[in-house]
Amino acid sequence: PHNYAIEIISSDEDEGFIAVVPEFRVAFGEAEEEALREVKVAVSLWLEAAREEGRVIPEPAGRERLRDILAGKGAASGS
């Protein structure tokens, strides 16, 4: 099992919350709990599809990578 860092950010522009996982795309929710739930579902579905297709599953990069992405020092991979 993989344990990925998740950061939930309030977004005034989107009037909700954004959940960020460095190894994957983000998920949006009107409440923090919804954003967290959505990103967990997205990651789970991606991992399931990757296993079925024999794709490489990224190792968790940790909170340091997450901080770099949030600071604009790198882009999250969505593939």
Side-chain angles (χ1 to χ4, degrees):
H2 295 83
N3 292 313
Y4 297 99
I6 300 171
E7 181 78 23
I8 299 176
I9 305 161
S10 175
S11 173
D12 292 335
E13 181 180 324
D14 295 317
E15 297 179 356
F17 294 85
I18 299 171
V20 180
V21 178
E23 298 81 2
F24 305 97
R25 298 195 186 276
V26 298
F28 174 79
E30 291 184 13
E32 287 182 72
E33 296 83 6
E34 182 182 2
L36 179 59
R37 186 174 53 251
E38 293 295 323
V39 80
K40 285 182 175 182
V41 168
V43 168
S44 177
L45 291 172
W46 190 96
L47 290 171
E48 181 180 329
R51 285 186 191 102
E52 290 174 3
E53 296 171 9
R55 293 196 289 178
V56 175
I57 296 174
E59 288 297 319
R63 296 202 184 278
E64 294 79 20
R65 177 74 177 123
L66 181 58
R67 281 192 290 269
D68 287 347
I69 289 170
L70 295 175
K73 298 178 184 174
S77 170
S79 52

